[in-house]
Amino acid sequence: MPVPHRMPPNASAPAGRVRRRAVLVGGALAAACGVATARQAPLLLRFSHVVAPDTPKGQMALRLQALLHERSGGRIRVEIYPDSQLWGDDDEMEALRLGAVEMLAPSLSKFGMAGVPEFEVFDLPFLFRDLAQVRRVTQGRVGRELLERLGRQQMVGLGFLDNGFKQMSAHRPLRRPADFAGLRVRVQASQVLGAQMRALGARPVVLPFGETQRALATGVVDAAENPLSNYLTQQLAPLQPHVTLTQHGYLGYAVVTHPRWWKHLGRADRALVRQALDEALQHGNRLAAGLDQAALATLRTQPGVQVHMLGTTDRDALRQAVQPVVEQFRRSVGPGLLDAVHGVIGDAA
Ligand code: SIN
């Protein structure tokens, strides 16, 4: 398989797109021809993602790279493309489909628009209290069934990874629904997240993750929702000095590959990749809460950054304002699924 050109991080969008198209076509041809590759031949696994290396996803990918290098004696090479260097979250799934990349870990919010609306259950505001609740869902029967549903869109779901809970950032504290009025808030491409911002009186603006910093710097958007490790590593603090700990929603990932590549691996290599990935995911999941806490500690000491806690009354007011969103999406995520999630986490629907 051809090795894709590494994109300069600041490549201009049109030129970048032209080159990306060329890589897509090359990748598709290679994927079509590669089925006959010998089983013990060197293997290249390109892992593209949009966040910084020093995040749960970045660290998980690095662990996968190290494990596969060690266990295959260097035969399996994992090339990692972080920070949207190769693909952004607007085109990475297409790249996977066309064989221009072998593995991704998109945020769960991105799977709804990719044709698996059940994944938007994870975007429902104030659904989970903590990561322990999330894990009861992702690491159990409900999680397994959700991963299987990715097969409908030509993806093999290999496992879940946490980042953490999202907090709001802006030029001012965002404690109450009234504070959101009229703000343009960057959101991921998820119907639920758009509806959530509208319910708060804000205007959702869907943008790829890699464009968020520039959009905040140029005033295209006024606010954003991110787990703290993303907020910190994207250097949003100088642009958005007020961080309000709303903890209003969860952000995690599903690691996916393409069925054609997965099959082409052969049984032995599939088992090797599967085992290494399971361990890398455990590593990333162990790190997630710690990185979140470390990011909070760093932000608290960063000059200019103000971290605001949310009192119970404000939190309840936010929760109440977005409650209609849960009712609105109960049907599209699947009423049975939402009940199953509530059953697993032990909270009443
Ligand atoms: C990510 O963590 O992969 C990106 C999340 C986002 O788009 O906000």
Side-chain angles (χ1 to χ4, degrees), residues 323 327 330 338-339 342 347-349:
Q323 186 56 32
E327 295 316 318
R330 178 178 281 278
L338 189 53
D339 289 343
H342 279 295
D347 280 359

Side-chain angles (χ1 to χ4, degrees), residues 50-51 57 89 105 107 110 163 186 188 209 225-226 230 251 253:
V50 300
V51 293
K57 183 157 58 178
D89 47 18
S107 134
K110 313 257 162 68
N163 185 323
R186 181 267 165 176
Q188 302 179 70
F209 185 67
E225 53 168 14
N226 278 296
N230 280 358
L251 193 150
Y253 310 102

Side-chain angles (χ1 to χ4, degrees), residues 14-31:
R17 297 238 170 231
V18 170
R19 258 171 286 163
R20 286 176 186 194
R21 292 284 151 213
V23 174
L24 276 180
V25 173
L29 287 173

Side-chain angles (χ1 to χ4, degrees), residues 209-229:
F209 185 67
E211 289 173 25
T212 304
Q213 196 205 42
R214 193 156 41 149
L216 289 165
T218 54
V220 170
V221 292
D222 312 301
E225 53 168 14
N226 278 296
L228 294 179
S229 63

Side-chain angles (χ1 to χ4, degrees), residues 104-327:
L104 303 171
S107 134
L108 300 175
S109 313
K110 313 257 162 68
F111 289 100
M113 292 299 211
V116 198
E118 295 91 332
F119 274 71
E120 290 192 335
V121 74
F122 291 103
D123 289 337
L124 291 174
F126 296 103
L127 177 61
F128 300 106
R129 229 185 1 250
D130 51 34
L131 287 182
Q133 283 195 332
V134 174
R135 285 190 189 150
R136 290 216 287 278
V137 175
T138 54
Q139 309 302 320
R141 182 182 57 80
V142 175
R144 272 196 307 279
E145 287 176 6
L146 281 169
L147 290 179
E148 277 164 21
R149 287 179 201 195
L150 293 171
R152 286 200 316 244
Q153 295 301 330
Q154 291 297 295
M155 285 181 264
V156 181
L158 295 172
F160 288 97
L161 175 69
D162 291 326
N163 185 323
F165 283 86
K166 290 178 290 183
Q167 322 291 357
M168 292 303 309
S169 66
H171 285 289
R172 57 178 198 242
L174 298 177
R175 291 199 183 88
R176 305 173 191 93
D179 299 330
F180 287 73
L183 284 184
R184 288 158 304 175
V185 185
R186 181 267 165 176
V187 290
Q188 302 179 70
S190 149
Q191 305 275 3
V192 173
L193 298 180
Q196 165 195 270
M197 287 305 163
R198 280 190 292 275
L200 290 166
R203 286 164 48 197
V205 180
V206 173
L207 283 174
F209 185 67
E211 289 173 25
T212 304
Q213 196 205 42
R214 193 156 41 149
L216 289 165
T218 54
V220 170
V221 292
D222 312 301
E225 53 168 14
N226 278 296
L228 294 179
S229 63
N230 280 358
Y231 171 84
L232 185 70
T233 54
Q234 293 299 304
Q235 277 111 34
L236 300 188
L239 306 166
Q240 300 260 281
H242 289 270
V243 179
T244 310
L245 301 182
T246 46
Q247 193 100 350
H248 60 280
Y250 167 75
L251 193 150
Y253 310 102
V255 177
V256 291
T257 186
H258 193 281
R260 182 182 48 227
W261 186 76
W262 195 234
K263 193 165 161 225
H264 151 71
L265 280 188
R267 190 177 305 172
D269 277 350
R270 217 166 23 241
L272 200 58
V273 173
R274 174 99 246 182
Q275 178 64 28
L277 181 64
D278 285 349
E279 290 175 40
L281 286 170
Q282 280 166 25
H283 173 69
N285 280 329
R286 269 194 306 270
L287 278 182
L291 283 176
D292 194 56
Q293 285 309 305
L296 180 59
T298 304
L299 291 172
R300 285 202 153 117
T301 60
Q302 222 169 62
V305 175
Q306 294 189 46
V307 178
H308 308 281
M309 304 294 288
L310 209 61
T312 314
T313 313
D314 289 337
R315 193 174 160 78
D316 286 348
L318 283 183
R319 183 200 289 269
Q320 231 176 344
V322 295
Q323 186 56 32
V325 176
V326 178
E327 295 316 318

